[in-house]
Amino acid sequence: MDFKRQKVRGGFSRYRLIITLGLAVFLPAAALIYINFSQLRAFERDKYLEATIRQDFMELLAISEKSMGKKVYAQIEQARDSFPSPDYDQPIKEQQLEEVLSRSPSFTHAFLFDEEGMMFRTQRSQGTDMDVRKEHEEMSESYETWFSSKEGKGFVETLNKKPHRIHLKAMPVHRMGVDGPAYMLIALFVLPDVSPKRVVIGGLFFDPCYLKNNFLPEMLEASVNEKTSDQGGNRIAMMIFVADQMDGQEKPIVASTGWDEGKPEVVRKMEVLPGLAMGIKYQGVSVKALGEAWVRRSFVLLGILSLMFLGGLVLTKHMVSKEMAVAKLKSDFVSNVSHELRTPLALIRLYAETLELGRITTQEKKHEYYKIIRKESERLTGLINNILDFSRIEAGHKEYEFRETDIADLVRNTLDSYRYQIEQQGFTLKEEIDESLPAVCVDREAIARALLNLMNNALKYSPNEKFLRVKLYRENGSVKLEIEDHGIGITSREQTKIFEKFYRTGDPLVHNTKGSGLGLSLVRHISDAHGGSIDVDSTPGKGSRFTLTLPLNGKTRPAAAHN
Ligand code: ADP
């Protein structure tokens, strides 16, 4: 797998990722958000919610008027059933008409007009009221005049065509005990058992006080209570007012509880009470405000959802990119490692073959070749050990064997085995080992490997000033092992990353130097397992100092896997 091909594949999968994210996630979600937004805007523009509420209000008013009408007609029909027949004698008719009134205190006047003329009676209890008496005289006279005229017959015909054969009309009247305008509802009707050819007409006048103080408030209250609240918990209120007011003010004659000041949202002219109209609204809040609040809430919600979606998308992209970066690092690692394995193997093979051919005659040269073969195989072992350790750590199987160890001895031995390589590469080695250190409980092999990795890095990344210092000393309650070089150094931004697996800095020298990116991650794992730490202090262009700190009262626990 060569590097160039690797790069092309990386670019291609990124492209594929963007296409997939775009087609499978971004486009549908963006379309959904767009549709929702435009729908909400249309809602806002067309005042859809408000229109729906108004429609609802309209229906409520219709229902309310219907039940009012039902009650009005029932009262009239009940009284009409007790009306005297026009064929009775005058005193009986009079008595029966009086009885109609005494049975139903909700009527002020009642009359019967027949061939014998107008019989007009008024509720006795109200007879003292000047307004009522005046009304009695005027009404009695005007209706008699009307019905006796030619129009009387025509009116009977009209009545016979009306629902219930009742004609309703309302007129404003004056009453002492009523605040503001009072309304009188007048019902004119024909009697059921009388021939439609005869001009016989009955009349009932609803008491304005009863209408205003009892009947209408009760009806409004009943309607309002029936529809206590909508899904949003808003309570409704209703009122009745004089229709077609000149000043356009809808001042309530009667209102249900909760009708504060304010205009009705929807009005309906009443057929049962001609001249009056009903109005409806929500208690304390206008439909417009409700609609606006709803749209605002929906926009905010949609905004939050969109942000969450975008956040999710960014997160996904970030995660996937990270995974892809790790995948790329892994494949770089494979390519680097295979190269690293190949170099010592090629050297071993070359020197072994040369020896085999027997062309080398001097003992000195032979010795040198053997040494190279040994060193190269040691390098190979080191590399393979690194890889094996790494895979054990990854699988969570890595175990450490802690033993009381003379750490100075361990460091010196490791340096001795590496000294040849150090010197051969032209490095000045400074050893500062404190011989008086107490025994520390460590995994010898692991500490030696950590030191080797750190020294190997110092060698690899010091192209100019070839200097290496290895210092072992005691500080407070711990032992410190310092490996210092005068190499290329590491930027502070990258100092935290170099301990991650596969990570390699962007320095061109690092790029051209073979490496797996595993060494420091192993060192960190080893230091963690010992309850210690690994730190770096470095200046780019000046050099680096890695410090491995091990606690003196060494831990003897088997290492927890740390990736
Ligand atoms: P590698 O096999 O690449 O050396 P390591 O895990 O040992 O992997 O190191 C990770 C990276 O840290 C290296 O690729 C290099 O960029 C940087 N690094 C490590 N040691 C040094 C050092 N002594 N000087 C400069 N850079 C270093």
Side-chain angles (χ1 to χ4, degrees):
M1 208 180 299
D2 71 73
F3 194 64
K4 210 169 162 201
R5 200 163 130 221
Q6 197 51 44
K7 253 188 134 169
V8 172
R9 273 189 47 187
F12 179 63
S13 21
R14 212 182 343 271
Y15 179 66
R16 217 168 39 191
L17 166 77
I18 290 168
I19 294 269
T20 316
L21 272 182
L23 286 182
V25 186
F26 188 76
L27 272 186
L32 209 67
I33 289 173
Y34 175 76
I35 291 170
N36 270 320
F37 261 112
S38 43
Q39 237 166 20
L40 263 182
R41 263 209 303 274
F43 255 54
E44 195 185 21
R45 193 186 51 235
D46 302 342
K47 312 261 179 257
Y48 180 81
L49 187 76
E50 293 166 55
T52 317
I53 294 177
R54 293 218 162 86
Q55 185 69 33
D56 251 18
F57 277 176
M58 208 68 132
E59 276 166 29
L60 279 178
L61 287 182
I63 293 169
S64 177
E65 189 185 359
K66 203 166 165 195
S67 60
M68 238 178 248
K70 229 164 144 178
K71 203 152 176 207
V72 167
Y73 281 118
Q75 283 195 31
I76 298 167
E77 277 169 347
Q78 200 185 9
R80 178 168 69 178
D81 290 345
S82 324
F83 253 59
S85 161
D87 304 326
Y88 289 166
D89 287 342
Q90 199 71 358
I92 297 179
K93 282 200 274 191
E94 267 178 32
Q95 191 196 340
Q96 283 193 352
L97 204 55
E98 292 277 359
E99 274 170 20
V100 166
L101 285 176
S102 62
R103 260 202 299 273
S104 323
S106 45
F107 297 116
T108 303
H109 315 285
F111 72 73
L112 177 69
F113 177 84
D114 57 17
E115 293 83 354
E116 286 170 29
M118 173 61 92
M119 180 181 292
F120 201 103
R121 287 290 173 272
T122 294
Q123 194 74 255
R124 275 183 201 284
S125 56
Q126 296 178 30
T128 48
D129 187 327
M130 280 303 290
D131 290 324
V132 175
R133 275 165 60 181
K134 210 165 131 219
E135 219 169 70
H136 178 119
E137 272 156 35
E138 282 172 13
M139 295 284 166
S140 158
E141 202 184 313
S142 65
Y143 278 115
E144 183 167 22
T145 320
W146 178 21
F147 298 145
S148 316
S149 72
K150 277 193 291 196
E151 285 170 38
K153 199 158 178 61
F155 185 63
V156 171
E157 270 168 33
T158 319
L159 274 181
N160 274 307
K161 285 182 204 142
K162 289 231 165 211
H164 307 269
R165 295 202 275 175
I166 297 170
H167 172 78
L168 291 172
K169 57 185 276 187
M171 55 181 281
V173 291
H174 185 259
R175 280 293 187 280
M176 286 291 281
V178 175
D179 255 7
Y183 268 78
M184 170 113 87
L185 179 63
I186 305 169
L188 304 173
F189 47 84
V190 287
L191 299 179
D193 302 327
V194 176
S195 156
K197 298 219 166 52
R198 295 174 65 181
V199 182
V200 174
I201 298 166
L204 283 165
F205 296 65
F206 278 87
D207 176 8
C209 299
Y210 162 73
L211 274 185
K212 183 161 177 164
N213 300 335
N214 304 84
F215 181 75
L216 292 178
E218 277 165 25
M219 290 308 292
L220 285 188
E221 247 13 273
S223 299
V224 166
N225 289 338
E226 206 163 282
K227 174 94 180 163
T228 36
S229 62
D230 68 356
Q231 299 97 316
N234 295 302
R235 293 177 65 87
I236 56 161
M238 287 186 186
M239 64 108 160
I240 292 176
F241 61 100
V242 181
D244 304 324
Q245 292 271 67
M246 293 295 279
D247 54 3
Q249 293 271 323
E250 288 106 1
K251 271 201 99 168
I253 301 174
V254 186
S256 71
T257 42
W259 185 281
D260 39 31
E261 292 302 299
K263 284 172 85 72
E265 300 283 357
V266 174
V267 299
R268 176 190 166 91
K269 283 195 182 173
M270 298 177 78
E271 285 165 26
V272 184
L273 299 172
L276 295 187
M278 292 174 92
I280 186 168
K281 70 183 190 79
Y282 279 129
Q283 294 186 17
V285 59
S286 75
V287 172
K288 191 163 176 259
L290 271 184
E292 280 168 4
W294 183 82
V295 169
R296 215 173 22 245
R297 216 171 32 239
S298 305
F299 268 125
V300 168
L301 264 176
L302 196 60
I304 291 173
L305 280 179
S306 311
L307 279 182
M308 278 166 75
F309 157 72
L310 276 181
L313 205 69
V314 169
L315 215 69
T316 314
K317 163 96 179 32
H318 186 73
M319 296 290 289
V320 175
S321 303
K322 211 168 161 185
E323 282 303 310
M324 279 171 56
V326 171
K328 187 177 174 324
L329 284 173
K330 271 188 186 165
S331 55
D332 281 358
F333 159 75
V334 171
S335 109
N336 287 344
V337 162
S338 17
H339 198 278
E340 270 208 282
L341 288 174
R342 230 184 275 143
T343 320
L345 269 178
L347 279 175
I348 292 169
R349 203 167 141 190
L350 176 73
Y351 286 99
E353 275 174 6
T354 317
L355 285 170
E356 201 181 21
L357 286 173
R359 290 215 192 115
I360 311 300
T361 44
T362 62
Q363 203 54 33
E364 213 174 287
K365 203 86 177 146
K366 271 189 194 163
H367 190 71
E368 191 188 328
Y369 279 23
Y370 288 137
K371 212 168 179 178
I372 290 172
I373 291 175
R374 186 173 60 82
K375 289 293 161 196
E376 286 306 315
S377 46
E378 269 173 18
R379 216 166 77 148
L380 207 54
T381 314
L383 184 66
I384 290 170
N385 278 341
N386 264 3
I387 297 170
L388 283 180
D389 261 8
F390 173 71
S391 72
R392 275 193 211 112
I393 290 169
E394 284 287 282
H397 294 324
K398 174 71 188 161
E399 284 189 4
Y400 291 89
E401 220 178 282
F402 294 92
R403 268 194 240 147
E404 290 283 318
T405 305
D406 180 346
I407 184 106
D409 200 37
L410 174 67
V411 170
R412 215 178 310 103
N413 282 341
T414 314
L415 270 174
D416 283 346
S417 68
Y418 206 56
R419 198 182 304 274
Y420 172 76
Q421 204 170 324
I422 298 169
E423 282 165 3
Q424 212 189 28
Q425 290 191 26
F427 272 79
T428 312
L429 173 66
K430 277 223 148 83
E431 287 172 67
E432 293 171 24
I433 296 172
D434 181 351
E435 299 291 342
S436 65
L437 290 173
V440 189
C441 203
V442 293
D443 180 313
R444 291 177 197 175
E445 207 183 312
I447 296 296
R449 188 159 311 143
L451 176 56
L452 278 178
N453 268 308
L454 291 170
M455 287 197 298
N456 195 18
N457 280 349
L459 260 52
K460 279 201 293 187
Y461 304 119
S462 301
N464 303 321
E465 200 183 330
K466 296 184 186 295
F467 170 84
L468 173 67
R469 186 206 307 273
V470 176
K471 189 174 170 186
L472 181 72
Y473 61 100
R474 179 180 181 161
E475 194 179 86
N476 302 327
S478 48
V479 171
K480 297 203 171 209
L481 179 58
E482 265 179 30
I483 291 88
E484 189 183 327
D485 62 52
H486 292 169
I488 54 169
I490 305 152
T491 60
S492 54
R493 194 175 57 82
E494 287 181 303
Q495 284 175 17
T496 48
K497 294 188 180 167
I498 51 172
F499 297 100
E500 287 170 15
K501 58 188 175 190
F502 305 130
Y503 189 84
R504 309 196 75 211
T505 61
D507 195 288
L509 175 81
V510 175
H511 197 77
N512 294 326
T513 310
K514 288 297 157 191
S516 55
L518 286 185
L520 288 183
S521 85
L522 284 178
V523 173
R524 188 177 66 175
H525 196 274
I526 291 167
S527 71
D528 283 354
H530 285 78
S533 62
I534 175 80
D535 301 291
V536 61
D537 182 9
S538 179
T539 313
K542 291 241 164 83
S544 317
R545 186 171 62 231
F546 285 85
T547 310
L548 175 66
T549 308
L550 298 171
L552 256 178
N553 54 349
K555 298 211 167 184
T556 45
R557 64 180 169 86
H562 184 293
N563 299 329

